[in-house]
Amino acid sequence: MPVRGARALRANLAGGTHHAYAHKGGGFCVFNDSAVAARLMQAEWFRQHRQERKPLQVAVIDLDVHQGNGTASIFANDLSVFTLSLHGQKNFPFHKEASDLDVELPDGCADADYLQALEQALDELERRFEPGLLLFLAGADPFEGDRLGRLALSYDGLEARDRRVFDWAWQRRIPLAFSMAGGYGVKIDETVQVQINTYRVALEYWRKWQR
Ligand SMILES: [Zn+2]
């Protein structure tokens, strides 16, 4: 059951600081905003549903190119939060934590293989978990022009990625909040373009939610 009144898609113009652990920062991240958001929404859920024993089920769909090690660590052994991370196998962090579902991608992975991996991951998420809220990290760093990404997604590929996640949430009427996470383009305007594309698709889906 989703959060009451949350017929929505929401965006953060920053965030996605997924390398931060509960007890320490790491990889440009001081606090783990997804973890804080998940816990706050679970608290709100209990405030609204005092009779419920089961906490709000939150899935974190982390599509930044780096593994969400901090998030995985914080929610290890927590059955109320499902952590999914699609990331570069050889990329930072070099010591990875175990998410509920990790999908490791080889260097140079391009649109078709990436989108297939995403599809399989969403299928598995659906088989194993019933989310009432989705937190999506829409990292721009899988882009082919990224300095740190090591993958090779095009603008179209990343837009298809975003559309797939927004559509997956919309089809199931699961509220979704997303954050920007990483992006380190050789040309900064390319990173900005990837992010603008994410917001353009998000706006399309936000309009659907408002009807
Ligand atoms: Zn990243």
Side-chain angles (χ1 to χ4, degrees), residues 18-19 64-66 141 182 184:
H18 58 168
H19 300 308
D64 185 278
V65 82
H66 303 101
D141 48 12
Y184 315 93

Side-chain angles (χ1 to χ4, degrees), residues 15 86 103 107 125 128 206:
L86 247 79
V103 180
D107 284 357
L125 164 62
R128 292 172 51 189
W206 180 82

Side-chain angles (χ1 to χ4, degrees), residues 65 73 85 90 95 98 113 146 211:
V65 82
S73 160
S85 178
K90 293 190 177 163
H95 170 74
D113 289 342
D146 196 273
R211 284 181 205 142

Side-chain angles (χ1 to χ4, degrees), residues 17-170:
T17 46
H18 58 168
H19 300 308
Y21 285 68
H23 64 290
K24 64 173 183 180
F28 307 151
C29 305
V30 179
F31 301 111
N32 192 311
D33 61 311
S34 302
V36 172
R39 287 291 186 240
L40 276 172
M41 292 307 289
Q42 288 182 324
E44 176 65 13
W45 163 263
F46 273 127
R47 200 180 63 74
Q48 292 183 6
H49 302 86
R50 292 181 198 281
Q51 76 289 1
E52 287 282 341
R53 286 172 177 262
K54 193 176 174 187
L56 176 69
Q57 306 289 288
V58 182
V60 180
I61 300 179
D62 187 340
L63 302 186
D64 185 278
V65 82
H66 303 101
Q67 198 223 12
N69 56 331
T71 318
S73 160
I74 290 168
F75 294 117
N77 307 315
D78 183 332
L79 297 177
S80 70
V81 180
F82 189 97
T83 52
L84 159 62
S85 178
L86 247 79
H87 52 263
Q89 181 181 20
K90 293 190 177 163
N91 217 321
F92 179 89
F94 302 108
H95 170 74
K96 296 181 174 55
E97 304 287 348
S99 311
D100 291 299
L101 177 54
D102 285 301
V103 180
E104 301 205 306
L105 303 164
D107 284 357
C109 179
D111 296 350
D113 289 342
Y114 186 96
L115 293 169
Q116 189 181 12
L118 173 61
E119 206 57 46
Q120 288 171 355
L122 290 172
D123 284 349
E124 186 168 341
L125 164 62
E126 184 153 45
R127 275 197 302 276
R128 292 172 51 189
F129 196 71
E130 197 176 346
L133 173 68
L134 299 173
L135 301 176
F136 169 33
L137 280 70
D141 48 12
F143 183 61
E144 57 195 345
D146 196 273
R147 277 183 291 129
L148 306 180
R150 305 174 72 123
L151 303 191
L153 272 76
S154 67
Y155 287 125
D156 286 349
L158 281 163
E159 184 169 331
R161 173 199 73 171
D162 296 337
R163 189 173 291 283
R164 186 68 191 104
V165 175
F166 293 134
D167 200 65
W168 197 87
W170 165 248

